[in-house]
Structures are given as structure tokens and as C-alpha cells.
Amino acid sequence: MTPEQQQIRDLAREFAENEIRPFSAEWDEAHHFPREVVAKLGELGFLGMVLPEEYDGLGLDSATYLMALEEIARGDASVAVSMGVHNSLPTQMILANGTPGQKERWLKPMARGEVLGAFSLSEPDSGSDAAGMLAQARKVDGGWVLNGAKAWVTNGGFGDVVVTMLRTDTPDDRRGAKGIGAFIVPTNTEGYVVGRREEKMGQRASETVGIAFHEMFVPDDQLLGDPSQGFIYALKGLDAGRLGIAALAVGISQAALEHSLAYAAERRQFGKAIREFEGMQFKLANMATRIEAARALLHRAAAAKDAGEPVAKLAAMAKLFASEAAMYVTTEAVQVFGGYGYVREYPVEKLFRDAKVTEIYEGTSEIQKLVIARELYR
Ligand code: CAA
């Protein structure tokens, strides 16, 4: 770690310790998303970590950003997913594909945390097969009219802007993955409808909603780049997004390990602390080893990204490995706590629930394997 990375990591850790972790169980219970905490993340610059300084970002590399995101996830995964989606997807997609005018308009307030971003690709009937989407953008004079329903949108309700993919081909001339455009849509546009707020197993404080567009007009300057390339922009964005999810999984795992270590030192059975038993030592050693391996793979992928190398395979590997490690580590953490691991009063039950979705969102483990295999065959 460079001194700068250490400083950012420490800042994130301190913020998570003081402003996030003590309230995390309460937010989970109440389904409360702490918008005010996100505003503070914005003040710290954590919502523009990888944006260049000319757009009011911190201009950091991916490795440093992911270290900070891991720390925030160690505090609470719901806050981290909101921060991760904003940093990795809408801001990066606008930076990579936007016109100078779009970058000027959106990136500065997004970097400062005044505008919170969302990303919307999935639909009720197209998840893994994302190119099978149906929501339609129809070209009209001066812009586009959007219609259709999207699903599983983090930050889709109280967020301020969503980068969303819709079909730009026509029903008579379908072009598959090349018939999709990306649009920048402020959530206060007429015709933007927020649907059901999902009742989730974990990460319950983060907002996940369905959204719909009803005859929504967006002007031409809200189309991002080429109207046939939106799917490619989204998949490129997801390469970065998947690194973010891997960092989240490592943060959840690290928290579970720390709680387990503390509990195993304090809990006594058969006349001694349970950490003295070899069975417990083997568990803790396996948990710690998987976390280190996941973190190392994540940072191998981050280094490749920062060096400008192709990252799809490594990002998929990092997400696959780190999310499966998180399920392993949190399952073992519940076991370390025994009956106390199964009740809400203790923290590992929530970490177990929070971990599961890291194997699902931003591409399931099965999709990560598909991406890895395709890259191996290339
Ligand atoms: N970067 C750039 N381009 C890419 C790419 C990448 N990583 N991956 C594929 N492409 C290109 C391909 O090269 C191809 O272009 P060409 O024809 O010119 O070569 C084009 O994109 C289409 O690719 P495929 O033929 O591979 O497309 P496919 O339909 O077979 O799908 C897939 C590929 C990997 C399965 C993809 O659909 C996928 O990743 N599915 C999972 C979707 C996903 O992760 N959804 C998560 C939504 S976000 C979320 O979870 C909510 C949230 O808020 C957190």
C-alpha cells in the first residue's frame, strides 16, 4: 500500500467505524436507507473516487477505491452497494462514453455526491440474458420516447439519475445486442415511475426497486454515445462494477472473521475459550485464508484495470471467488457463534444474509463462469 492508499483506507475505516457500523443492524431492521450517510460520503469525496479531478473527483486508481469500498462494506454492505454502483457504473459510463457537455453537466455533481446515480439493465423477464430486454426507446424529433419496465435497480427510487439501457432497434428490425442504447435519465423526469420496493433477504437498507418509463421524453443530449452500443457500454461498465462487488464481498467476510475471532476468544465451553479447540482454529484459519486469497485476486484484477489491460476475465474471477468466499466465511461465522449466530441479536446472522446477493447481482456466479470460460476459449 502506498502512503496515500493507507490514508484513504484509514479514512474509510474510521468513517465506517463511527458513522456506519453502530447503526447498521437498526437500518437493516427498519429497511432504512441512510441517505444522510451517503451525503457525507459525498463530502469526503467518496462518490467521485475514480473520476478525474477536472470533474471534481479524487482521481484515484481502482485499487485505492476498492480498498475504501471494502472498508465501507465492512461497516455495512447496503451503504457500500449504493456507493459502489454510483462509483463504478453510471459515473464511469458517462466518463467513458459521454460528450464533453454530458460530462460537464453530470459528473461534477455526481462526484460531489449532490446527484446520486443508478444503473438499470435488468428487466422482470431478462436478467442473465440481459440483451433479451424489451423496454423500448422510440426516436422522435429532438429526442427519444421511452417505454417499458426495468427491475432490481439499486438507488432507483431516491437516486437522482439513472443510466439505463433500452432497445433502440424497432420491432420489425431486431438487432440483438447491437440494438440497445444507453440513456441518462433524471429520476424527476415526467413518466419515470418507481414501482415496488423489494423485500430482500439481506442488504435490506439498500433500496432495490422496479422502475417503469411511461411515454417518457428524453432529449437527444441524454442519449449516451452511439444508440447501437449501449449494451457494450453496460458490459464494460459491469467489468468495473464486478470488482466493486468483489470488494463488498471481501468487506463482509472481513467483518464476519473479526466478529468470529472476538467471540471465539470470549466464549468459554468445557472450561476454556472455544478458540483453544483445534476444530475452531481450523475454521478460523480457513476463513482468513479465503479472505486473503479473495483480496489478492481482487487487487490483481484492479492492477490490471489500472494498467489499462483487459479486465473482463479477472473481474469475473474476482467476483466469483470473493462472493463464494463470503458465503463460506459467513456460514462458518454463524457456526462459530452456534445458537447465537442464528439470532438477530448478534451480528453474523445479518452478514450471512448480506453475503448471499453478492453471488447474484451484477451477474450471477454462473454468468461469471460463462464469462471466464468464453475468455479462456478466445
Ligand atoms: N466488454 C465489452 N464488450 C463486451 C463485453 C465486455 N465485458 N462482453 C461482451 N461484449 C460484447 C461482445 O464482444 C459482443 O460484441 P461483438 O458481437 O461485436 O463481438 C456484444 O458485447 C454482445 O456480447 P455477447 O454476444 O457475449 O452477449 P450475450 O447476449 O451472449 O451476453 C452475457 C453476454 C455475459 C451473458 C451478458 O448478458 C451478461 O453479463 N449477463 C449478466 C447481466 C448482469 O450482470 N446483470 C446485472 C445487472 S446490474 C444489477 O445487478 C443491479 C444493481 O443495481 C446492482
Side-chain angles (χ1 to χ4, degrees):
M1 245 190 246
T2 64
E4 188 191 38
Q5 285 176 332
Q6 190 136 10
Q7 201 185 359
I8 300 276
R9 202 270 316 260
D10 290 351
L11 182 63
R13 179 170 290 183
E14 197 186 311
F15 184 78
E17 289 285 347
N18 296 331
E19 310 265 352
I20 299 177
R21 209 175 204 181
F23 313 103
S24 154
E26 203 178 302
W27 295 334
D28 176 70
E29 191 66 35
H31 281 205
H32 169 70
F33 181 79
R35 190 69 170 86
E36 65 289 356
V37 171
V38 174
K40 286 185 190 167
L41 285 170
E43 285 163 26
L44 290 174
F46 281 14
L47 295 182
M49 294 193 90
V50 279
L51 285 175
E53 288 174 19
E54 63 174 304
Y55 297 116
D56 293 345
L58 296 184
L60 296 169
D61 57 13
S62 310
T64 313
Y65 154 59
L66 294 165
M67 284 173 198
L69 189 59
E70 178 191 328
E71 292 302 328
I72 300 299
R74 186 172 157 268
D76 186 70
S78 292
V79 176
V81 73
S82 221
M83 170 179 158
V85 164
H86 174 96
N87 269 295
S88 305
L89 287 160
T91 51
Q92 290 306 301
M93 286 176 72
I94 295 172
L95 181 68
N97 311 298
T99 60
Q102 287 171 332
K103 292 185 204 180
E104 190 66 27
R105 176 173 173 200
W106 296 107
L107 294 182
K108 286 184 174 179
M110 289 179 92
R112 294 193 294 259
E114 293 156 13
V115 167
L116 185 66
F119 168 85
S120 171
L121 176 68
S122 303
E123 295 185 359
D125 294 323
S126 67
S128 291
D129 179 13
M133 69 176 64
L134 293 173
Q136 184 73 51
R138 191 176 78 242
K139 185 76 188 91
V140 292
D141 262 359
W144 298 78
V145 173
L146 314 188
N147 276 293
K150 309 297 277 185
W152 313 116
V153 189
T154 306
N155 300 342
F158 53 65
D160 305 291
V161 64
V162 52
V163 172
T164 182
M165 277 48 71
L166 290 93
R167 305 216 67 87
T168 46
D169 55 9
T170 60
D172 303 334
D173 180 21
R174 285 297 183 214
R175 296 182 178 196
K178 300 288 169 52
I180 293 170
F183 295 85
I184 308 170
V185 175
T187 56
N188 62 4
T189 311
E190 201 182 330
Y192 185 92
V193 179
V194 179
R196 192 178 63 192
R197 193 168 201 257
E198 303 295 347
E199 274 280 348
K200 295 174 295 177
M201 172 194 285
Q203 302 196 9
R204 287 156 61 89
S206 102
E207 184 197 51
T208 307
V209 293
I211 58 174
F213 309 115
H214 285 314
E215 284 292 294
M216 174 199 276
F217 174 79
V218 294
D220 280 326
D221 69 0
Q222 286 173 213
L223 169 73
L224 195 55
D226 182 321
S228 70
Q229 296 297 302
F231 187 67
I232 313 277
Y233 302 156
L235 289 187
K236 278 191 189 154
L238 281 168
D239 289 342
R242 288 167 183 167
L243 293 179
I245 302 304
L248 241 93
V250 174
I252 295 168
S253 305
Q254 182 65 34
L257 175 65
E258 287 165 13
H259 287 301
S260 300
L261 283 168
Y263 184 78
E266 157 200 308
R267 172 76 169 166
R268 296 179 71 80
Q269 291 291 277
F270 303 103
K272 55 183 175 182
I274 59 172
R275 74 175 200 162
E276 302 304 327
F277 292 100
E278 196 178 55
M280 191 56 68
Q281 290 163 4
F282 284 5
K283 264 191 207 314
L284 296 167
N286 277 335
M287 290 159 78
T289 304
R290 294 210 194 182
I291 295 170
E292 283 301 338
R295 190 181 282 123
L297 182 52
L298 168 63
H299 285 284
R300 159 82 180 90
K305 183 168 190 328
D306 288 331
E309 292 166 21
V311 79
K313 181 180 74 178
L314 283 169
M317 286 176 165
K319 181 185 184 285
L320 172 67
F321 190 84
S323 60
E324 290 188 349
M327 274 318 288
Y328 173 83
V329 170
T330 56
T331 304
E332 287 295 75
V334 170
Q335 197 68 15
V336 168
F337 275 70
Y340 295 112
Y342 201 63
V343 293
R344 297 242 158 136
E345 196 183 338
Y346 288 80
V348 292
E349 177 266 350
K350 172 179 179 295
L351 294 170
F352 174 88
R353 289 187 287 105
D354 284 351
K356 182 58 199 168
V357 74
T358 64
E359 292 184 320
I360 299 172
Y361 59 20
E362 299 208 16
T364 60
S365 289
E366 291 71 20
I367 288 297
Q368 307 312 318
K369 288 178 197 172
L370 179 151
V371 170
I372 295 162
R374 282 185 184 180
E375 293 292 324
L376 292 175
Y377 293 170
R378 214 179 267 275

